[in-house]
């Protein structure tokens, strides 16, 4: 079923000169740990944390052409989803074809009514539950959690030093 739907969406988007976006939400915690840790044999690894824990959520969408749009939010619900879609169409001249999961916030009466009013600017398509392999946005979520939040990054100075020396 999905193998027929995605090519059909792509064909419609090409015909209407639209752009396809894959969207999703994810949560992030300040104490998220990705990868492995180390401790001497027989001891439990301890990861030192500073300050109080906090969490944020992100809703984001990535297009088939590599465009990225995102919002950092406290709590996700239908109103936030609708606000995100409004922002997306505000900055796009093309019709949007938005592929996402079946989160209940995506299917509220208010969202459905708004989508019906704006069907000439945006259409939303749902992938089956528990199928992250069908949503390209999952790769961005994984990258954010693993490489940005979960591991220590080099400081900007360490990253830029070779570039400045080359100038």
């Amino acid at each position: 079923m999905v193998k027929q739907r995605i090519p059909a969406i792509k064909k419609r988007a090409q015909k209407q000169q639209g752009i396809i976006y894959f969207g999703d939400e994810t949560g992030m915690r300040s104490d998220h740990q990705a990868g492995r840790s180390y401790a001497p044999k027989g001891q439990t690894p301890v990861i030192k944390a500073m300050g109080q824990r906090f969490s944020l959520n992100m809703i984001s969408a990535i297009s088939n052409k590599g465009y990225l749009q995102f919002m950092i939010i406290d709590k996700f619900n239908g109103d936030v989803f609708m606000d995100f879609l409004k922002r997306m169409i505000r900055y796009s001249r093309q019709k949007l074809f938005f592929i996402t999961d079946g989160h209940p916030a995506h299917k509220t009466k208010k969202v459905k009514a708004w989508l019906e009013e704006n069907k000439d600017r945006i259409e939303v398509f749902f992938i089956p539950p528990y199928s992250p392999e069908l949503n390209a946005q999952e790769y961005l979520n994984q990258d954010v959690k693993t490489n940005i939040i979960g591991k220590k990054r080099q400081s900007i100075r360490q990253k830029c030093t070779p570039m400045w020396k080359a100038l």
Side-chain angles (χ1 to χ4, degrees), residues 50-88:
M50 300 174 71
Q52 291 185 341
R53 287 182 271 182
F54 66 93
S55 63
L56 290 171
N57 296 296
M58 176 177 74
I59 180 172
S60 54
I62 191 163
S63 79
N64 58 334
K65 304 209 186 277
Y67 304 131
L68 174 67
Q69 296 193 36
F70 70 95
M71 265 178 28
I72 303 296
I73 52 178
D74 287 325
K75 185 178 176 186
F76 182 69
N77 57 33
D79 290 333
V80 171
F81 180 59
M82 199 164 58
D83 182 41
F84 182 69
L85 296 178
K86 286 178 183 178
R87 290 170 187 235
M88 286 186 69

Side-chain angles (χ1 to χ4, degrees), residues 1-15 20 22 64 97 99 125 134:
M1 177 177 132
V2 174
K3 292 189 180 204
Q4 292 93 22
R5 284 188 74 201
I6 300 290
I9 294 168
K10 183 179 177 182
K11 192 174 184 179
R12 285 185 57 204
Q14 287 173 336
K15 187 176 181 180
I20 299 171
F22 292 88
N64 58 334
F97 294 82
I99 300 171
F125 302 91
L134 300 175

Side-chain angles (χ1 to χ4, degrees), residues 2 9 32 35 43 69 98 132 136 142-143 164 166:
V2 174
I9 294 168
H32 177 78
Q43 294 182 20
Q69 296 193 36
F98 192 85
Q142 186 271 335
D143 191 43
W164 291 115

Side-chain angles (χ1 to χ4, degrees), residues 126-142:
F126 298 103
I127 57 176
Y130 309 107
S131 54
E133 71 281 358
L134 300 175
N135 192 340
Q137 182 61 38
E138 293 290 350
Y139 294 107
L140 175 70
N141 293 346
Q142 186 271 335

